Amino acid sequence: MKPINISANSSLISEEELFVYEDRLKTAHQRLHSGADDYLGWVNHPMEYDPKELERIIQTAKKIRSQCQVFIIIGIGGSYIGARAAIEMLNHSYYNLLDQNQRKGPQIFFAGNNLSGTYHKELVDMVKDKEICVCVISKSGTTTESNIAFSIFKKLLQDKYGEAASERIYVITDKEKGILREEVNQKGYTNFQVPEDIGGRYSVLTPVGLLPIAVSGIDVLEMMKGAAGAYSQFNHPDLRNPCYEYAVIRNILYNKGKIIEVFEVYEPKLQYFAEWLKQLFGESEGKEGKGIFPTYLQFSADLHSMGQFLQEGNQCFFETVLNVQSFESDIIVPEGSLDTFKGKKMSYINSKAMEGVLLAHMEDDIPNIRINIPELSPYYFGQMVYFFEKSCAISAYLLDVNPFNQPGVEKYKRNMRKLI
Ligand code: PA5
């Protein structure tokens, strides 16, 4: 399978500038592959994961599909966004609205990713009369949002099913620590472990992401094949490795004052993948007063709101476009549209929008990197996750920050508890 690759011709970075980083890049590569730091379990995970555990995930997902009409996924941050990114990218755009026989899995809703009483009350009211299963995902087991949402849905299940509620509760948490693990031990819920050496934002290809993703009917085996493909493709420690070239370009641009990275998507299904990127880069790099601020725009919608700023506003940013090269379903513009458009595929017009933006931005020297993704499939989701995880970790090493901690997040969590 063709790997994802990058087009960096419009990044405005010269070969000479890139090669200045050659030695530092090799050091960063060695550090990543030496296993010297904590939380490096994700690096070899695509090659070393336990196939028996993956099979148990697939079988559990099958059971959940037969048990319920509605599946509630409870989690936040790294225990949520990756799964949602895959579920939204790889399923029908209107998955939850399809008839049950047109979907491969139950309706899927997310809880515990905010503290809105309205959101949770309305969700409970909407699903309470249906057959429900719940999956709570929390590495620490103590996160406020997921803890509260779990208590709400546990009560709903207990009121509805009595003792049998525990057969509808699935837990993904630490192997030993935390109150969720204690509860699993007491109640015997079906459970999976969050690997100790993989942090939240790097955990989508572990049970954290794979169980919920598999429930929606996505082929997770194929996803792991994609990640393994990326492991081999993006493993050589030099600038010909697109994953590393991207990391280096980001750092050069940052040192030139481009302190914001705008991830741009032309396909709405990529919205949550862009959210995942935001967390991955934001939490990995934003520390010690350093880091590129990641944000994302969805085109063409945001061209009509932010296009002006990009073209003529404060040039403190660079653009990273997620360029999907082919689509499974498409529509031809019919009669009744302007002559220029009619008879053409919408995906073709969308690609011309992308080229038009690129040309306009080139005129004003706006640096642009394109990540080319052959298609949206489980295989390429696995590739994309591994590509970005690795480029993010290398990029953070080049910036001289620890990509795998998040002391700032812990601070807010502590304060909120105290105030409550
Ligand atoms: O990436 C991270 O570490 C965070 O986003 C966590 O995943 C998030 O805070 C949720 O934590 P937990 O899984 O412990 O509930």
Side-chain angles (χ1 to χ4, degrees):
M1 292 264 227
K2 200 169 124 194
I4 57 176
N5 63 58
I6 78 168
S7 307
N9 297 345
S10 318
S11 66
L12 310 180
I13 301 300
S14 67
E15 288 274 298
E16 292 74 39
E17 285 175 294
L18 279 176
F19 278 99
V20 169
Y21 276 76
E22 218 178 1
D23 290 341
R24 287 174 60 196
L25 186 59
K26 285 204 172 96
T27 311
H29 171 87
Q30 273 152 14
R31 184 168 169 192
L32 195 71
H33 282 272
S34 68
D37 288 334
D38 289 339
Y39 298 111
L40 284 172
W42 59 272
V43 177
N44 293 330
H45 183 70
M47 312 307 282
E48 291 177 352
Y49 73 89
D50 177 2
K52 284 201 201 109
E53 182 180 58
L54 188 64
E55 185 50 33
R56 192 164 81 85
I57 289 173
I58 293 168
Q59 292 311 324
T60 307
K62 216 176 187 179
K63 180 175 169 207
I64 295 172
R65 286 203 294 273
S66 69
Q67 263 181 319
C68 65
Q69 297 167 303
V70 163
F71 184 53
I72 308 287
I73 301 169
I74 298 173
I76 194 162
S79 290
Y80 147 72
I81 304 178
R84 187 160 191 176
I87 289 167
E88 307 241 334
M89 182 196 290
L90 301 172
N91 284 307
H92 194 284
S93 299
Y94 305 99
Y95 175 90
N96 273 346
L97 300 178
L98 294 174
D99 284 345
Q100 205 166 342
N101 56 10
Q102 290 176 300
R103 269 187 271 117
K104 289 192 190 144
Q107 284 184 309
I108 292 182
F109 299 101
F110 297 91
N113 57 59
N114 63 66
L115 284 169
S116 161
T118 309
Y119 178 96
H120 288 87
K121 170 79 170 73
E122 290 177 357
L123 182 55
V124 167
D125 287 347
M126 183 178 60
V127 302
K128 65 179 189 302
D129 296 325
K130 303 204 176 178
E131 296 299 331
I132 307 168
C133 283
V134 166
C135 178
V136 57
I137 309 164
S138 175
K139 184 170 185 169
S140 62
T142 55
T143 301
T144 307
E145 289 87 340
S146 38
N147 181 276
I148 293 174
F150 183 42
S151 70
I152 293 170
F153 281 93
K154 195 165 44 179
K155 181 170 179 340
L156 175 66
L157 291 187
Q158 280 163 351
D159 291 348
K160 211 170 144 75
Y161 302 108
E163 286 282 295
S166 56
E167 285 157 33
R168 292 171 174 270
I169 294 174
Y170 296 82
V171 177
I172 305 170
T173 190
D174 187 81
K175 189 172 156 198
E176 287 163 1
K177 291 184 288 233
I179 46 167
L180 255 182
R181 177 52 62 190
E182 280 170 31
E183 195 173 328
V184 166
N185 293 342
Q186 277 166 19
K187 309 263 178 170
Y189 303 140
T190 303
N191 68 92
F192 292 88
Q193 294 168 8
V194 183
E196 217 174 350
D197 56 351
I198 302 184
R201 56 192 173 277
Y202 292 83
S203 68
V204 56
L205 300 175
T206 74
V208 170
L210 296 177
L211 179 66
I213 292 168
V215 171
S216 76
I218 294 167
D219 185 345
V220 287
L221 199 57
E222 202 48 29
M223 202 170 263
M224 293 311 291
K225 281 188 196 156
Y231 178 94
S232 325
Q233 293 288 344
F234 307 127
N235 206 16
H236 47 100
D238 58 51
L239 286 157
R240 278 169 300 135
N241 178 343
C243 174
Y244 290 179
E245 185 185 357
Y246 170 55
V248 170
I249 291 174
R250 296 178 81 252
N251 272 264
I252 299 174
L253 290 169
Y254 174 67
N255 288 327
K256 289 183 174 189
K258 304 293 182 187
I259 56 162
I260 295 176
E261 177 170 23
V262 185
F263 289 104
E264 295 172 354
V265 305
Y266 285 77
E267 167 53 52
K269 283 184 174 200
L270 288 174
Q271 179 189 349
Y272 274 89
F273 191 81
E275 286 288 353
W276 178 79
L277 287 174
K278 233 168 72 181
Q279 185 196 0
L280 179 69
F281 283 97
E283 262 185 5
S284 299
E285 291 192 321
K287 48 200 73 158
E288 298 174 32
K290 298 190 234 180
I292 298 170
F293 183 91
T295 186
Y296 89 95
L297 295 175
Q298 193 187 300
F299 290 167
S300 63
D302 284 326
L303 287 173
H304 297 261
S305 59
M306 291 298 289
Q308 169 60 32
F309 190 105
L310 294 176
Q311 192 76 46
E312 294 180 353
N314 186 336
Q315 292 300 308
C316 55
F317 64 91
F318 63 96
E319 302 172 294
T320 300
V321 180
L322 303 190
N323 173 30
V324 182
Q325 294 172 307
S326 74
F327 290 90
E328 208 179 306
S329 70
D330 207 344
I331 195 161
I332 304 221
V333 182
E335 290 286 333
S337 177
L338 295 176
D339 280 349
T340 346
F341 308 137
K342 78 174 176 220
K344 300 205 165 74
K345 286 182 178 172
M346 260 187 107
S347 62
Y348 170 81
I349 294 174
N350 207 8
S351 70
K352 294 298 149 193
M354 187 185 75
E355 285 172 33
V357 170
L358 181 62
L359 286 174
H361 289 186
M362 292 278 294
E363 272 174 38
D364 283 326
D365 289 337
I366 300 170
N368 179 293
I369 306 161
R370 244 180 312 160
I371 314 282
N372 301 310
I373 302 150
E375 63 186 17
L376 297 183
S377 65
Y379 181 88
Y380 283 109
F381 182 87
Q383 279 231 339
M384 287 160 77
V385 164
Y386 195 81
F387 175 94
F388 281 109
E389 285 179 348
K390 201 168 192 197
S391 52
C392 177
I394 291 287
S395 189
Y397 280 157
L398 295 175
L399 199 62
D400 205 16
V401 295
N402 176 355
F404 309 115
N405 65 1
Q406 54 284 329
V409 182
E410 311 302 341
K411 255 187 212 169
Y412 117 83
K413 284 187 183 178
R414 271 199 304 278
N415 280 349
M416 180 170 65
R417 281 266 173 71
K418 259 191 231 157
L419 291 168
I420 292 170

